[in-house]
Amino acid sequence: MFSLNKNIAVIRGDGIGPEIVNQALKVLDKVAELYGHTFTYTDVDMGGCAIDKYGEPLPEAELKKCLESDSVLLGAVGGDKWNDVPGDKRPEKGLLKLRAGMGVYSNNRPAKIWPQLSSASPLKKSIVDAGIDFIIVRELIGGIYFGEHKTEGDVATDVLKYSEAEIERIGRIGFETARKRNKKLCSVEKSNVLDSSRLWKKVMHRLAEEYPDIELSDMLVDNCAMQIVKNPAQFDVVVTENMFGDILSDEASMITGSIGMIPSSSLGSSSCGLYEPIHGSAPDIAGKDMANPIGTILSAAMMLRFSFDMPDEATAIENAVSEYLDKGYRTADIMSEGGNLVGCSKCGELICENLRKGC
Ligand code: IPM
Ligand code: MG
């Protein structure tokens, strides 16, 4: 077992961001203590708080701190306060600049139901019992998010563009992810309408020849939205473009009980990744110690597994979360079936108490 030194760029952001990130840092500190690693944290301002301080959502100097780190942990950005800021200066623009600046084209969003929370799913028991365990691989730095945006008079335009190379690199991640799981890849697009989707489909089928062990299927995005609630057990890995992945991952998270539980990793060609829960900044509950920090805590676990090659440490965090749920503790978002109500900070503490080396 080696002791490692890692420098983590920490973006607390807006709304509930600071509260949830602080819980993940408590957990990382406990992991460092148990396993003899050293994690140092570099604070980075991004989002609405950066607009207030510097007049822009991600100044170059803040982005540089992220690029020089071993990985980035992010809470959430945005809020009503910055709603009237012009489009190119909005808090979300900071996040898009960060993703593009880091080159993290591959966003991995698991939709897995925790057995302890199966009754929190809005789906029928028979559907939940068939199993919900799939991953959405979302292209993250292309498509309509990064095409030209303009408003001229009463006409607004957003350009959706993909090159074969952009599709191929995310397609490969889809196939490789499926190879490590149940070898089923569902490529989701809108090829009955969009040229970019027809290209997407063509590239996926070309790649399929290199992955004969993977069963590739095609699905139109509107059908996929329906299938996720009708029969989620059919999915193993879903690969899709940026905007479809944004929408489908919110839907997929909700059928597992709460969007507050879902982590994500975003990686490019280096080991420096971006790790963030998939939910937003929830300004309505910010500062009330009510938020669920588990999505962020599990994002920190993903950082250990995917960027720092610390699989045992990552598993220890996941087991500590599972034990917390076993004991019946619940933040407000997953209280629908009762339980022992705890706040954000207490949730972090209880998960730390469950952390043990080698389990
Ligand atoms: C997400 C979010 C972001 C996105 C927003 C905040 C720009 O919804 O990470 O899913 O659309 O990618
Ligand atoms: Mg989203």
Side-chain angles (χ1 to χ4, degrees):
M1 194 61 65
F2 301 101
S3 304
L4 294 169
N5 280 314
K6 295 289 176 190
N7 171 24
I8 302 172
V10 175
I11 306 177
R12 289 182 172 76
D14 310 313
I16 58 171
E19 303 162 54
I20 55 178
V21 167
N22 286 344
Q23 307 319 310
L25 297 186
K26 276 186 200 167
V27 170
L28 284 171
D29 283 341
K30 186 73 193 283
V31 167
E33 185 191 313
L34 287 173
Y35 286 83
H37 302 307
T38 306
F39 297 138
T40 49
Y41 307 119
T42 304
D43 286 326
V44 173
D45 292 316
M46 187 181 93
C49 58
I51 296 175
D52 291 348
K53 205 160 156 183
Y54 310 104
E56 52 176 313
L58 182 63
E60 289 302 318
E62 300 302 291
L63 172 61
K64 189 158 173 275
K65 290 188 207 168
C66 296
L67 299 178
E68 287 169 351
S69 72
D70 292 311
S71 269
V72 181
L73 181 68
L74 161 65
V77 294
D80 296 343
K81 182 176 169 198
W82 303 280
N83 271 352
D84 296 330
V85 172
D88 62 334
K89 290 259 182 287
R90 285 184 63 93
E92 293 81 0
K93 264 281 174 214
L95 178 56
L96 300 186
K97 181 174 171 186
L98 176 67
R99 290 172 176 170
M102 291 179 72
V104 288
Y105 61 85
S106 168
N107 180 222
N108 174 324
R109 298 189 163 186
K112 184 173 173 165
I113 193 142
W114 291 80
Q116 301 94 326
L117 296 182
S118 59
S119 59
S121 171
L123 298 185
K124 271 201 287 211
K125 188 172 178 320
S126 57
I127 296 178
V128 174
D129 288 348
I132 302 175
D133 181 4
F134 62 99
I135 289 182
I136 296 182
V137 174
R138 168 186 175 196
E139 198 292 323
L140 201 60
I141 55 173
I144 201 163
Y145 276 61
F146 291 91
E148 189 192 0
H149 307 287
K150 65 175 183 203
T151 304
E152 285 167 334
D154 59 357
V155 178
T157 312
D158 299 283
V159 174
L160 165 49
K161 193 163 94 180
Y162 270 110
S163 69
E164 286 206 23
E166 284 174 306
I167 299 170
E168 178 168 337
R169 65 181 181 179
I170 190 68
R172 286 192 185 282
I173 302 286
F175 281 101
E176 298 292 341
T177 308
R179 188 166 263 174
K180 292 190 204 116
R181 295 174 45 99
N182 295 325
K183 305 193 167 39
K184 276 171 63 186
L185 180 64
C186 181
S187 164
V188 172
E189 29 70 5
K190 187 73 185 170
S191 58
N192 54 347
V193 176
L194 302 176
D195 265 48
S196 56
S197 281
R198 284 190 274 274
L199 184 65
W200 180 279
K201 190 171 172 182
K202 187 182 107 186
V203 173
M204 289 298 158
H205 282 266
R206 172 163 60 71
L207 285 177
E209 291 169 18
E210 290 178 45
Y211 297 88
D213 53 323
I214 308 299
E215 183 195 317
L216 174 69
S217 59
D218 305 297
M219 196 177 274
L220 296 175
V221 62
D222 45 351
N223 183 27
C224 182
M226 181 179 78
Q227 295 296 336
I228 285 177
V229 289
K230 188 174 169 220
N231 176 18
Q234 71 186 286
F235 296 111
D236 179 24
V237 179
V238 168
V239 65
T240 193
E241 62 103 71
N242 203 345
M243 179 131 99
F244 297 159
D246 177 45
I247 298 166
L248 294 177
S249 61
D250 267 33
E251 185 191 9
S253 73
M254 200 53 225
I255 64 168
T256 71
S258 171
I259 195 171
M261 298 288 298
I262 311 287
S264 80
S265 65
S266 303
L267 284 157
S269 54
S270 81
S271 65
C272 176
L274 169 62
Y275 296 86
E276 50 175 320
I278 77 158
H279 59 73
S281 61
D284 50 327
I285 57 163
K288 296 187 179 158
D289 194 35
M290 277 174 74
N292 185 349
I294 293 181
T296 318
I297 290 172
L298 294 173
S299 298
M302 279 182 138
M303 175 186 288
L304 302 186
R305 178 171 284 117
F306 297 137
S307 287
F308 299 168
D309 198 17
M310 298 179 183
D312 295 347
E313 291 84 334
T315 305
I317 295 178
E318 287 152 2
N319 288 345
V321 169
S322 187
E323 197 179 322
Y324 158 93
L325 295 172
D326 281 341
K327 290 176 180 162
Y329 296 112
R330 302 284 183 266
T331 41
D333 55 315
I334 48 175
M335 270 298 281
S336 59
E337 304 297 318
N340 189 353
L341 181 65
V342 293
C344 180
S345 174
K346 187 74 187 166
C347 171
E349 265 165 48
L350 290 164
I351 290 170
C352 283
E353 279 171 21
N354 293 341
L355 265 174
R356 273 175 295 280
K357 194 171 173 176
C359 67

